[in-house]
Amino acid sequence: MKTFAVLQLSGCAGCEVGLLNSQAWIDEYRLLYMPLVISVHDMPDTDRLLISGGVRTDEDVYNLHRAVRKTGYVVAIGTCAISGGIASLGNRDNVRELFFSQSARHHVPRLLPRSYPIDEYVSVDLYLPGCPPTPELFHSVLSENGKIRTNTTVCAECRRKKIREIRPAQITGFQEGKVSPEVCLIKQGFLCIGTSTRNGCGAPCPRAGHPCVGCRGPSNALIEKGSDAWFESIKKVFVALTDIPDDAIEEGLRSPQLSLFLFQFSDYAHTGRLPRPKEKVV
Amino acid sequence: MPKIVFPVSRIEGHAQVVIEVHAGRVVSARFKATEYRGFEHFVKGVAPEQMVVIVPRICGVCSTAHHLASVKALEMAFGVIPPPLALSIRELLMLGQMIQNQATSLFLFTMPDRLGLSSILEAAGEAGSAEQLSSLAHRALQVRNAGTKLIDTAGGQFIHPVKAVIGGVTGGIEEKLAETMHGTLMKTLPMACELFDYYIEKSVALKEQLGTWGDDTPTHYIAAVSEYRPDYTGDSIRIMGPDGRILATFPASGYLNHIQFEESEYSYSEKSSYGGKVFRANSLARINLADYMGTPLADRYLEQFRESFERPAHAILLFDIARGIELIYALERAIEILRQPLDNDETMVGYRTRDSEGYGLVEAPRGPLIHHYRITNGIISEAKFILPTVHNIIAIEQALRNSVERYIDSDRIDMEIERAVGRVVRAFDPCIACATH
């Protein structure tokens, strides 16, 4: 039986909880290490190592380096491990200053100046983005070696209708107090970025009436380009589907709605890091 | 001074227990939270509407509780009252949260301590002699999956739900979907009872072996549930004294008048107390504060519990038993709600943003959770998260000290100490990602 381990760095355990939801691997793989559910304190040798969470403390760096020696195949799971995720909101300069108050503590792991993705430190064989990835995606990574078709967008999986005649003139959001269950959320004046976000999740958020926040990151068409291309692609969609003025779109897509992009944008924007090759991203 | 360090597993997040020993005496017992991400700092400058998407990421185990506390805080700030159907769907969300968490804590975190295993998944894939165990693992995962399925059904996403928004929820639950969920829970309920009965049996055996349920100094209790039918979306917090008297009742906005906070050098988590007195949150607090559960099977379990233990009950391992009673209650109550129509009325109302302040309270699996936001110039200018695990830190350290003293004397340290530390910490089911946020 094949074996795997899960190393959790600074994160929320949502990926681990998602993995537990995918029971498909239980009869196929032996999970040897995952402190959330197993009391084994030393990382054993395994066929596959899944790593979740961002690198936020010096202890994370140490644990990461120690763990990757024990396996031949590293999978970065979840948005934090891949691009810093939600914690990268703390990488903004004005926010980073607030963190300095924490660095005075002596008896806890020291905070790094910012939150880093794991490939800043180690090489990664496969990326599984999502916050968290769905059980099906976990299954795909463990049992099918990531062979899931991820060549389209969340928009293509959403099933809401883009009715030509409806063209909103402003971004209204939830303040109107209603969401139509059938119509495209952009057509209802929501800032949905499912049109440029990687598919594979089944579009649960827009289908439930909440705009896609892009947790799976850019689609294959955009992933090897810079953040500006991603941003432009989203903007173009709004120009084509709505009558919202350009500057309002621009303003809406940028601050303070920055959390719309928090999942990957913060990392892709102006870090000088090379994009991840699409063949490696599930 | 010699220190013994125990990494703690089968809890959410990164923590250590550090015991200082001198000449065979326990000098101190510390519970250290060793991670930190800084949510209170980095949500500054964010649009209020985005908070309900950001805060579930504080914790993948308690995400639903954060989602709802956030929405309630913003509704208070903007003066919005969501329609009744939205409230039913939100109650379902909290019940899903409870089922998922209590099943995880009981069957994945603490069951191994009763079976002498490192994990119930340990032998899940092996055939033959391990067959019973394998089936135990499968059933345990199935019960907790029923909770995440309920979160998915009511919240649109199985871990970080999205359907609760300022003014209500984005939509009802279609009849067919509700029916499927109802069917799943009907099948889950007897399975959960069976697992819980087995859990009680193994807990009694553990108690016989240890000679105690983990007796500890009596403390105060804090919870945000009403006396009858514990609604986890509650609006006021109550504090009970060690003798069972109710000492205070207050809304979320009054928390600073009743709860004191202190920072520590050795942990990223704060700790809190009731005016310097030790209190405890989580399942045992709720069971001590509840007169009835209000559903048949849960009430039967509660009755047995009351016959065996006093009210308030104080022993540490009773947290785990209390969790089981809540698991059964949450399943029964969700079944009741799913029998009502959930797609026949409006689910949200409009609102206007304004600069203001709001408090959002829910009773999360680990106790009362408060989100406190200030909105200035249309963006979040201040956010405080009052986490229930923080309320338990002093109680955990007290319980650890009392427990490890049983295993240390001037000649030797009994190796049972490591298991004892694990049992004590897990009884409180601390969530470190939440506590430090």
Side-chain angles (χ1 to χ4, degrees):
Chain A
M1 198 179 236
K2 285 175 287 184
T3 58
F4 77 109
V6 182
L7 175 70
Q8 185 188 340
L9 303 173
S10 292
C12 80
C15 290
E16 285 73 6
V17 175
L19 177 69
L20 289 175
N21 269 56
S22 162
Q23 292 173 37
W25 51 266
I26 280 194
D27 297 317
E28 217 174 313
Y29 263 92
R30 275 191 74 157
L31 174 57
L32 296 185
Y33 178 93
M34 175 156 106
L36 183 69
V37 292
I38 304 177
S39 294
V40 169
H41 298 298
D42 290 315
M43 177 67 72
D45 291 316
T46 53
D47 297 320
R48 200 157 277 222
L49 173 65
L50 276 53
I51 302 173
S52 74
V55 184
R56 182 73 256 198
T57 64
D58 53 6
E59 190 180 67
D60 286 336
V61 179
Y62 176 72
N63 288 337
L64 177 61
H65 282 302
R66 246 169 45 123
V68 294
R69 281 190 223 134
K70 299 286 203 169
T71 188
Y73 197 88
V74 174
V75 188
I77 58 168
T79 309
C80 296
I82 296 172
S83 53
I86 197 110
S88 343
L89 278 176
N91 293 347
R92 290 173 291 157
D93 281 344
N94 54 340
V95 178
R96 278 175 55 193
E97 283 169 23
L98 299 169
F99 276 83
F100 296 153
S101 62
Q102 293 293 339
S103 54
R105 297 188 198 196
H106 296 303
H107 302 285
V108 283
R110 207 159 53 101
L111 291 175
L112 302 177
R114 47 171 290 172
S115 180
Y116 296 97
I118 64 169
D119 60 9
E120 182 82 15
Y121 296 92
V122 299
S123 78
V124 170
D125 297 291
L126 195 67
Y127 296 88
L128 173 61
C131 185
T134 59
E136 295 74 26
L137 287 165
F138 274 111
H139 183 230
S140 158
V141 161
L142 283 172
S143 299
E144 296 152 11
N145 227 355
K147 282 202 181 64
I148 203 167
R149 287 166 63 84
T150 43
N151 50 4
T152 171
T153 63
V154 168
C155 192
E157 294 181 336
C158 168
R159 292 194 213 160
R160 284 175 175 269
K161 296 190 190 84
K162 292 193 186 66
I163 297 167
R164 190 187 299 254
E165 295 75 42
I166 305 178
R167 294 185 67 84
Q170 54 182 344
I171 297 164
T172 50
F174 289 110
Q175 294 196 26
E176 295 301 305
K178 56 176 188 294
V179 186
S180 154
E182 315 247 301
V183 179
C184 167
L185 293 171
I186 292 176
K187 291 287 193 179
Q188 298 184 58
F190 288 98
L191 280 174
C192 180
I193 60 167
T195 50
S196 332
T197 302
R198 188 171 203 79
N199 75 312
C201 58
C205 303
R207 287 170 76 176
H210 195 284
C212 171
V213 294
C215 79
R216 292 259 302 143
S219 67
N220 265 356
L222 296 161
I223 198 163
E224 294 180 351
K225 296 176 183 158
S227 58
D228 288 341
W230 192 17
F231 184 83
E232 281 308 311
S233 149
I234 296 167
K235 202 176 139 190
K236 250 190 242 161
V237 172
F238 280 85
V239 172
L241 296 181
T242 71
D243 290 332
I244 305 169
D246 276 16
D247 53 341
I249 296 173
E250 185 97 10
E251 194 191 70
L253 290 176
R254 305 248 186 213
S255 188
Q257 308 282 13
L258 74 155
S259 47
L260 208 57
F261 302 105
L262 57 97
F263 294 99
Q264 305 243 348
F265 203 69
S266 56
D267 172 59
Y268 278 77
H270 316 295
T271 55
R273 187 172 292 122
L274 288 173
R276 283 88 185 177
K278 62 184 173 201
E279 298 75 32
K280 282 190 170 188
V281 186
V282 180
Chain B
M1 205 168 292
K3 278 183 193 167
I4 322 173
V5 180
F6 302 94
V8 190
S9 53
R10 282 188 274 121
I11 61 165
E12 196 294 326
H14 303 290
Q16 283 177 348
V17 168
V18 181
I19 311 287
E20 275 186 305
V21 185
H22 184 65
R25 289 192 59 86
V26 177
V27 179
S28 72
R30 286 172 168 181
F31 185 62
K32 294 178 60 164
T34 56
E35 60 178 293
Y36 179 75
R37 287 164 297 155
F39 273 79
E40 283 178 0
H41 295 322
F42 67 62
V43 298
K44 285 181 185 167
V46 156
E49 284 87 348
Q50 301 293 338
M51 288 301 276
V52 302
V53 180
I54 294 174
V55 297
R57 272 91 188 169
I58 289 175
C59 173
V61 177
C62 322
S63 46
T64 305
H66 287 291
H67 184 53
L68 291 177
S70 174
V71 123
K72 285 180 80 174
L74 294 165
E75 280 170 352
M76 180 177 170
F78 299 151
V80 196
I81 297 168
L85 180 54
L87 299 182
S88 295
I89 291 171
R90 290 183 188 177
E91 187 181 350
L92 273 180
L93 265 170
M94 279 311 293
L95 293 165
Q97 168 79 87
M98 222 27 116
I99 296 167
Q100 177 258 109
N101 190 81
Q102 306 311 56
T104 304
S105 177
L106 282 172
F107 306 135
L108 291 166
F109 292 174
T110 63
M111 184 81 100
D113 295 331
R114 279 132 184 93
L115 302 176
L117 298 171
S118 72
S119 166
I120 64 158
L121 301 179
E122 203 170 68
E126 287 176 0
S129 63
E131 212 165 84
Q132 198 193 344
L133 201 58
S134 167
S135 122
L136 183 70
H138 278 285
R139 282 181 297 158
L141 288 174
Q142 228 168 307
V143 174
R144 68 166 288 289
N145 279 16
T148 51
K149 241 180 235 157
L150 183 55
I151 293 171
D152 191 4
T153 301
Q157 214 256 49
F158 75 122
I159 288 179
H160 296 318
V162 294
K163 271 182 84 169
V165 292
I166 305 164
V169 294
T170 57
I173 302 173
E174 286 169 35
E175 203 183 323
K176 240 174 124 184
L177 196 58
E179 226 169 77
T180 311
M181 194 63 236
H182 182 267
T184 304
L185 295 185
M186 287 295 283
K187 258 188 264 161
T188 307
L189 180 59
M191 202 187 291
C193 287
E194 207 178 289
L195 283 170
F196 182 35
D197 290 341
Y198 180 64
Y199 186 91
I200 294 173
E201 188 193 313
K202 292 292 168 191
S203 298
V204 171
L206 178 67
K207 181 251 158 186
E208 305 274 292
Q209 179 204 325
L210 300 173
T212 171
W213 280 103
D215 295 303
D216 188 20
T217 320
T219 67
H220 291 66
Y221 291 91
I222 178 167
V225 288
S226 45
E227 297 88 334
Y228 169 72
R229 178 151 284 182
D231 179 2
Y232 302 118
T233 59
D235 283 314
S236 71
I237 298 171
R238 289 187 297 152
I239 288 180
M240 179 185 256
D243 57 358
R245 273 183 309 151
I246 302 297
L247 303 178
T249 304
F250 54 95
S253 57
Y255 76 89
L256 279 176
N257 299 329
H258 299 272
I259 304 173
Q260 280 73 47
F261 297 87
E262 52 179 292
E263 290 201 342
S264 75
E265 257 285 291
Y266 59 84
S267 174
Y268 277 120
S269 170
E270 291 186 299
K271 35 177 134 175
S272 60
S273 66
Y274 175 59
K277 298 185 197 84
V278 184
F279 59 8
R280 294 173 177 167
N282 209 314
S283 56
L284 189 60
R286 290 187 291 268
I287 291 295
N288 281 337
L289 276 150
D291 289 340
Y292 310 96
M293 302 304 281
T295 57
L297 291 173
D299 271 332
R300 208 181 305 154
Y301 281 112
L302 180 63
E303 214 173 285
Q304 288 167 5
F305 185 88
R306 289 270 150 81
E307 276 168 20
S308 310
F309 311 105
E310 289 172 19
R311 179 183 179 190
H314 295 292
I316 301 296
L317 294 178
L318 298 181
F319 271 98
D320 296 314
I321 307 293
R323 222 160 263 139
I325 302 173
E326 294 188 313
L327 169 66
I328 305 303
Y329 166 76
L331 285 162
E332 287 185 289
R333 175 70 183 142
I335 288 168
E336 274 179 17
I337 297 176
L338 284 163
R339 285 200 186 115
Q340 304 161 11
L342 295 165
D343 197 22
N344 63 339
D345 210 347
E346 59 170 4
T347 59
M348 59 195 292
V349 294
Y351 64 94
R352 286 289 163 262
T353 56
R354 64 183 186 201
D355 283 4
S356 182
E357 199 174 352
Y359 298 82
L361 169 69
V362 296
E363 177 71 16
R366 290 162 184 81
L369 166 69
I370 303 169
H371 283 208
H372 176 197
Y373 305 152
R374 180 168 290 122
I375 297 142
T376 314
N377 300 324
I379 54 171
I380 299 289
S381 57
E382 201 75 51
K384 273 304 270 183
F385 303 106
I386 314 302
L387 276 307
T389 290
V390 170
H391 301 329
N392 272 342
I393 301 286
I394 296 176
I396 291 173
E397 292 183 335
Q398 176 183 290
L400 278 170
R401 192 179 171 131
N402 287 340
S403 172
V404 297
E405 272 176 352
R406 293 182 191 134
Y407 301 101
I408 294 177
D409 61 36
S410 51
D411 298 331
R412 59 190 282 271
I413 295 171
D414 185 332
M415 289 317 285
E416 179 67 18
I417 193 172
E418 187 173 354
R419 284 188 284 273
V421 162
R423 285 192 297 263
V424 168
V425 172
R426 283 175 207 124
F428 288 89
D429 192 19
C431 182
I432 311 305
C434 281
T436 60
H437 51 279

